[in-house]
Amino acid sequence: MSSIADSLGGLVKSAGIVLAGTVVANVLGILAEILIPRALAPAVYGRLGLAYGIVSAVSSLAILGIPNGVTRFLSEKESAHDGVDVLQGGYAISFAGAAIAAAAIYLGRFEIAALMNDPAVAPLLVAFVPYLLAFPIAKVSVGVLRAEERTTAATLAQRIGPRVLGLALVAGLIAAGRPIVGAIGYWLSFSVAGALLALYAVRRHIDVGSLVARLPNRDTVRELWSFSWPLAAGASLHIMLANVDIVMLGYFLDSASVGYYRSIQPLKQVIFFFSGSFAFLFFPLATKHYSQGDFAGLDALYTVTTKWIVSLTFPAVLLFTLFSPDVIRLFFGTAYLPAAPALSVLMAGLFYRVLVGLDGDMVKAIDRPRVEFYSAIAGVVVDVALNAALIPRFGIVGAAFGTVVGYFVYNTVEVVVIYRAVGSYPFSAAAFKPLVPTTFVSVGVLALTSQRTLGLLAIAGIGVLLYAAQFVSMVLTRSFTDTDLLLVEQFEARFDLDLSWLTTLIRSES
């Protein structure tokens, strides 16, 4: 896939598969995340969420950035490393890191619980240790599938399979009167079931006898580590950005506040529905364009991907920002309404991460892994400082604001570096112009419904209206380009669909 046309063709097919998988997985996930808080008191749910958040954060740090290194090494046009050596080194390094982290959590569980002012957190940390041990197997295996552009296998292993098993487990245990065990089992399934499924998908790469009989290739391990350690350091700080608000809430406030804030974390993932769909194949494709010196193709790939992610995400962000009390009431009940203002802040502020596109994957594709580390340092410093200042005064809304500003700093640094390195940037008038009319429509709908309590059908109807408004806005503002036409044509060809009405419209507008 050397040309931009071929890259867009592969990208739209992969994005379609991942999007379908993401929608299914998130629907299953939201169902589970609705069942769990409804079956538990906010304090208990907050305690479980705190323990899972700590282990999840440590897990992402413990794999030392190796899965991204595996993907990049296997995606290079002319790789100097044997695929089996890369895979073996990836498993060895990441699992060693996870084993050390698991031992540290087990030995320090009481100290961690004391820091959180909640002794009951200690046994929960031990319960989540299997998550930590299975995590590197899952992530390295998915890294291989990503490099091979095996989108369907990765989607089933990483997104759908674990959610199906987890939802069945939590529903059964809640029905049996064991909601705490069900919640633990549900979160464990992300890693444990994901590892088993992903390992099965890459089984043709694995020679068990070879893995046991010899040590990983030294040169491969050295170069894999050289590329990955800045990502590992950056990942540790990135995880802090994602979880420091929950941890600091546990330090400054009570478990109920953590429970309120933890309840909205799955909802904010709506922002990344479409980003994640495009990201799976974007990284290996961008790596190929960069390694071939095709900077024009790389820039086109980055810009058009960002535009469509922005256009597809914006209506959902408006819905969850402006109608957050109704969304909270619908999903979690009135007991969790105190979380509504924080949800609005998170959804509106984190939309900036959509506006800058897949900047993190771009940084790795252009071989600037240390940028992840430096940008994350800046983001974490700002995040921690603001959380410390705002949480005692503004509670969970202060935590949300600190997180938003931290991510703003983090992503801005990366965008500046990308532009200086290869001349690419994600912003375009075609991406921004349609947002204005859609915003006016959403504010008008809010004004008309502000005195009413909205149910499922009303919220769904507003969502459909906003997506229709976004499409009409793209037409009225003449925001379609020749690259969009190429993207739609590739989508037609890859999925055997007739979108002649859309291609005709784009030709008339571009």
Side-chain angles (χ1 to χ4, degrees), residues 199-425:
L199 199 59
Y200 177 78
V202 300
R203 66 194 183 283
R204 65 187 179 88
H205 289 276
I206 299 174
D207 180 352
V208 177
S210 176
L211 290 176
V212 175
R214 65 183 178 88
L215 294 173
N217 181 277
R218 287 187 178 182
D219 291 336
T220 300
V221 169
R222 186 183 303 112
E223 292 191 34
L224 190 60
W225 172 247
S226 178
F227 176 83
S228 300
W229 78 258
L231 298 179
S236 66
L237 296 169
H238 187 272
I239 294 305
M240 286 185 66
L241 269 175
N243 293 278
V244 71
D245 45 3
I246 294 177
V247 175
M248 293 184 73
L249 281 170
Y251 179 79
F252 284 110
L253 305 178
D254 55 19
S255 294
S257 297
V258 177
Y260 293 136
Y261 196 72
R262 179 65 183 79
S263 70
I264 63 176
Q265 301 308 301
L267 298 181
K268 78 177 185 182
Q269 296 307 313
V270 169
I271 295 177
F272 308 113
F273 265 22
F274 298 102
S275 298
S277 301
F278 283 91
F280 182 83
L281 202 58
F282 178 89
F283 177 30
L285 288 177
T287 297
K288 290 178 181 179
H289 281 286
Y290 178 75
S291 65
Q292 294 168 2
D294 181 15
F295 293 160
L298 179 64
D299 181 58
L301 185 69
Y302 187 28
T303 303
V304 73
T305 300
T306 302
K307 173 188 172 181
W308 280 97
I309 292 173
V310 169
S311 299
L312 292 169
T313 304
F314 189 58
V317 170
L318 288 175
L319 180 66
F320 280 69
T321 299
L322 299 179
F323 301 91
S324 58
D326 295 291
V327 171
I328 293 289
R329 187 184 298 108
L330 174 65
F331 285 126
F332 306 121
T334 56
Y336 285 85
L337 276 176
L343 176 62
S344 295
V345 172
L346 283 174
M347 295 298 292
L350 291 179
F351 183 62
Y352 178 72
R353 302 201 67 199
V354 178
L355 293 175
V356 299
L358 300 172
D359 57 311
D361 287 312
M362 274 289 286
V363 164
K364 292 188 280 287
I366 65 174
D367 201 17
R368 301 292 195 280
R370 297 191 182 190
V371 174
E372 283 274 304
F373 176 64
Y374 298 126
S375 60
I377 286 178
V380 167
V381 169
V382 171
D383 191 10
V384 171
L386 288 177
N387 271 293
L390 299 178
I391 288 177
R393 185 173 180 181
F394 299 105
I396 62 176
V397 174
F401 184 79
T403 297
V404 164
V405 177
Y407 273 116
F408 176 84
V409 173
Y410 166 75
N411 289 119
T412 299
V413 172
E414 290 195 334
V415 169
V416 170
V417 171
I418 291 168
Y419 179 74
R420 291 175 64 88
V422 294
S424 295
Y425 55 90

Side-chain angles (χ1 to χ4, degrees), residues 29 32-34 36-37 40 44-53 55-56 59 124 127-128 130-132 134-135 162-163 165-167 169-170 173 179-194 259 262-263 265-266:
E33 294 281 359
I34 290 172
I36 294 171
L40 298 170
V44 177
Y45 180 60
R47 186 177 298 124
L48 281 166
L50 184 61
Y52 170 69
V55 173
S56 177
S59 298
L124 296 176
F128 283 116
Y131 179 101
L132 215 168
F135 194 73
R163 293 317 194 276
L165 295 173
L167 178 59
L169 183 63
V170 72
L173 287 170
I180 294 178
V181 178
I184 294 172
Y186 170 71
W187 283 318
L188 283 179
S189 70
F190 293 174
S191 179
V192 177
R262 179 65 183 79
S263 70
Q265 301 308 301

Side-chain angles (χ1 to χ4, degrees), residues 11-21 277 491 495:
L11 188 66
V12 295
K13 182 175 182 179
S14 173
I17 294 171
V18 176
L19 176 60
S277 301
F491 189 86
F495 289 98

